[in-house]
Amino acid sequence: MTDELTVQGIPVSDLAQRYGTPLYVYDGDVLRATFTGLRDLLDPHVDVFYSAKANPNMSLCGVLRSLGAGMEVSSLAELMVAQRVGVDPADIIFLGPGKTVAELRACVDLGIHAVVCESLDELRMLDSIAPESGMSVLLRVNPSFSSKGSRLAMGGKPRQFGIDEEILLSAGPLLRQLRRVRVIGFHAYLGTRILDAADIVSNTQGVLDVAERLSAELDIPLATVDFGGGFGVPYFDNENPLDLAATTAGINDAVARFRRRHPDCRLITELGRYLAGWCGTYVVRAQYVKQSRGEWFVVADGGTNHHMAAVGIGSFVKRNFPIRSLTHYDAPADRQYTVTGPLCTPNDVVGAKVKLPEIRPGDLIGVQRSGAYGPSASPVLFLSHGHPAEVLVLDGTPHLVRRRDTAADLLDRQELLPLSHHHTGKS
C-alpha cells in the first residue's frame, strides 16, 4: 500500500518510470471540467477563446477545441497549432504588439475572424497588404481607466499593448482612409491573475462601455467585442479560488444589458491561465538532499528552467506555488526544505522553505496548478537541458504529447564552423 499521487488511477511513479523526469503531467479530466464548468455558467452568447500562449501544446489545444473553444494566437506557430487541431478560421483571432508582415499575410491567407491591431502603424501596414476583398480588424484599446485586481496590468497605463483610448478618439481621419481593412469592433485586455469576481465584472463592464463609446464617436459598427478575461488561478497560501458563479453571474448581467442595445454583436472572452493552469503538475525527482548552514535543500533534476513562474519574478517577496511530495502525498508535512533545480544560479529555487514530509533521493516532488506558463515561458535552454517531456492523461490512458529534448536534438540545430587549429605557444 502506498500513499503516492495517482492521476486517473495511474500512480505517478509509473508515469515517471515510463517517461522519465522532469515531466509535465496534464490531467485531461481536470482540463475538460474546467472548461465545461465555465461554459455551463457563462451566457451562451459569449464565445470562449483559449489563449494559446498559456500552453500551446497541440493536444491540450485539441481537447479544448473539441469542447467548443476558439483560439487566440500570437505567432505563426500558434496559428499553425490552431489549424492543425481543426479550429475554424472564423474562431481564430491574432494579437500581439509586434506582428511581422509574414504573420499578417498568414492571417489574411487563412481568413481568420480578425487581426487585433495594436497600433495605427499596424493598421496602415495591414491595409497595404490586405486583399481587395478586405480583412477584418479589431482595434485593441488601452483604456483610460486601470484594471481592478490584476496582478499584472496590461492596460490603463503606458504600455506597448493596444492604442490609447485618447489617441483612438482622434484617429477618425485615418480610419476613414482605410481601403481594405474593415474595423469590426474592439478588444481590450486589462490584466491577468484576477481572483476577485467583482473586479472581473467591473473590468468587463468597463470594456463594454469603452467599446460602445468609441463605436459612437468613431462611427464604427460593433460587430465583435473581445472583453478579455484575466481569470486567476490561486497559487499562494493567502489566495482563494475565484468565485466562478459570482463572476459569471456578473458578466452575464453586463452582457445582457449590452446585448439589448447590440443584439447582433459577437462577444468573446479569452482565457489561458484559468483554463490550462489547474490541470498540470510539474514532476521532478529528488537527486540529492543536503544541509547547508542549518537549512535543508532538495536538489531536483528539474527547476526554473522548466517552471520560471515558480521563481516569483515581479514579486518583492518570494512565495511558493503549491508543492507536494508525490511519493508520500498524504504524509504529514513535518519537515522544511528549499527545493532547487540543477542550474548554476542561486535563483534556481522552485520553492523556498517548503513544508514537506521527509524527502529522500529518488522521491518525486510535484509543483501543482502548473498547466499554464510552464516550459513555454521558461529558459529551457539554460545549461542546455532542453524541453521536458509532456504527458496528457485522457480517459485513463497516458499519452506522450511532447517528447523530451535530447542532447542530440539541441546540438543538431547548431552548425560547427570549421576552423584550423593554430599552435600559439612557443616551440
Side-chain angles (χ1 to χ4, degrees):
M1 183 68 180
T2 177
D3 62 347
E4 72 174 294
L5 176 72
T6 62
V7 181
Q8 295 184 27
I10 303 169
V12 71
S13 60
D14 289 1
L15 297 173
Q17 183 175 5
R18 180 172 175 180
Y19 301 106
T21 56
L23 172 70
Y24 270 85
V25 177
Y26 307 117
D27 187 331
D29 283 353
V30 174
L31 182 65
R32 285 169 169 161
T34 304
F35 182 88
T36 56
L38 170 67
R39 183 67 279 174
D40 290 347
L41 291 175
L42 194 61
D43 188 313
H45 296 100
V46 178
D47 293 333
V48 178
F49 278 36
Y50 174 58
S51 295
K53 65 178 72 67
N55 188 329
N57 184 282
M58 280 196 291
S59 291
L60 264 71
C61 293
V63 170
L64 291 169
R65 183 212 61 81
S66 73
L67 298 172
M71 276 183 66
E72 171 256 295
V73 301
S74 298
S75 69
L76 280 177
E78 290 183 0
L79 184 62
M80 289 177 67
V81 168
Q83 285 182 271
R84 289 188 181 185
V85 304
V87 179
D88 189 322
D91 292 325
I92 300 173
I93 59 174
F94 194 118
L95 57 79
K99 302 180 194 71
T100 65
V101 171
E103 288 170 335
L104 292 174
R105 288 191 189 281
C107 293
V108 168
D109 292 344
L110 186 59
I112 67 172
H113 177 64
V115 173
V116 180
C117 283
E118 309 221 16
S119 69
L120 298 180
D121 280 349
E122 184 186 330
L123 259 181
R124 295 186 186 96
M125 180 183 292
L126 185 57
D127 195 53
S128 71
I129 65 174
E132 293 287 347
S133 56
M135 183 69 204
S136 295
V137 158
L138 299 178
L139 299 178
R140 181 167 180 173
V141 187
N142 182 4
S144 56
F145 68 93
S146 296
S147 64
K148 292 185 176 182
S150 172
R151 269 64 171 179
L152 179 62
M154 311 280 281
K157 298 182 178 182
R159 285 288 185 261
Q160 68 268 44
F161 308 109
I163 308 166
D164 291 355
E165 182 182 346
E166 310 88 282
I167 292 175
L168 262 183
L169 284 169
S170 61
L174 167 64
L175 299 177
R176 287 188 288 273
Q177 290 172 9
L178 298 173
R179 293 291 173 261
R180 298 178 178 182
V181 161
R182 299 184 303 270
V183 179
I184 63 170
F186 300 93
H187 167 285
Y189 190 94
L190 294 175
T192 185
R193 287 209 60 230
I194 305 172
L195 291 169
D196 186 272
D199 291 338
I200 292 177
V201 173
S202 174
N203 292 340
T204 301
Q205 185 64 63
V207 173
L208 295 175
D209 290 345
V210 166
E212 207 164 26
R213 184 163 64 250
L214 288 171
S215 170
E217 292 280 349
L218 297 170
D219 194 25
I220 292 174
L222 280 183
T224 300
V225 174
D226 179 338
F227 55 80
F231 292 24
V233 171
Y235 296 125
F236 309 124
D237 288 342
N238 63 336
E239 294 181 334
N240 296 312
L242 178 69
D243 185 336
L244 187 61
T247 302
T248 51
I251 290 175
N252 292 347
D253 186 52
V255 163
R257 291 195 302 271
F258 181 85
R259 290 194 72 253
R260 282 197 286 270
R261 296 186 296 276
H262 308 280
D264 298 323
C265 181
R266 182 181 193 181
L267 293 170
I268 296 171
T269 183
E270 60 188 65
L271 300 167
R273 183 189 311 274
Y274 183 81
L275 294 179
W278 294 96
C279 76
T281 300
Y282 178 45
V283 180
V284 298
R285 191 179 293 280
Q287 299 285 87
Y288 307 100
V289 180
K290 60 186 286 187
Q291 195 176 31
S292 176
R293 305 197 187 282
E295 293 188 22
W296 284 95
F297 288 79
V298 176
V299 183
D301 57 2
T304 55
N305 52 321
H306 300 153
H307 202 325
M308 192 66 174
V311 178
I313 294 296
S315 300
F316 290 105
V317 179
K318 165 68 182 171
R319 298 185 293 175
N320 298 323
F321 271 54
I323 299 174
R324 299 282 295 270
S325 167
L326 304 182
T327 302
H328 303 289
Y329 194 70
D330 296 319
D334 52 6
R335 309 289 179 96
Q336 182 173 284
Y337 300 94
T338 291
V339 181
T340 75
L343 306 183
C344 299
T345 168
N347 292 329
D348 189 21
V349 175
V350 177
K353 299 181 178 179
V354 183
K355 294 289 187 181
L356 293 168
E358 182 181 1
I359 301 294
R360 296 178 179 175
D363 284 357
L364 297 174
I365 298 170
V367 187
Q368 298 179 307
R369 301 177 201 166
S370 296
Y373 298 104
S376 61
S378 302
V380 295
L381 294 182
F382 191 31
L383 267 63
S384 299
H385 284 295
H387 201 288
E390 296 179 65
V391 169
L392 171 62
V393 182
L394 203 61
D395 299 323
T397 302
H399 303 271
L400 182 66
V401 294
R402 175 165 180 147
R403 67 176 179 83
R404 180 184 317 283
D405 283 346
T406 65
D409 292 331
L410 302 177
L411 297 182
D412 284 350
R413 292 188 173 276
Q414 300 185 36
E415 298 292 336
L416 178 62
L417 187 65
L419 298 172
S420 58
H421 296 279
H422 296 286
H423 182 64
T424 57
K426 293 182 179 180
S427 59

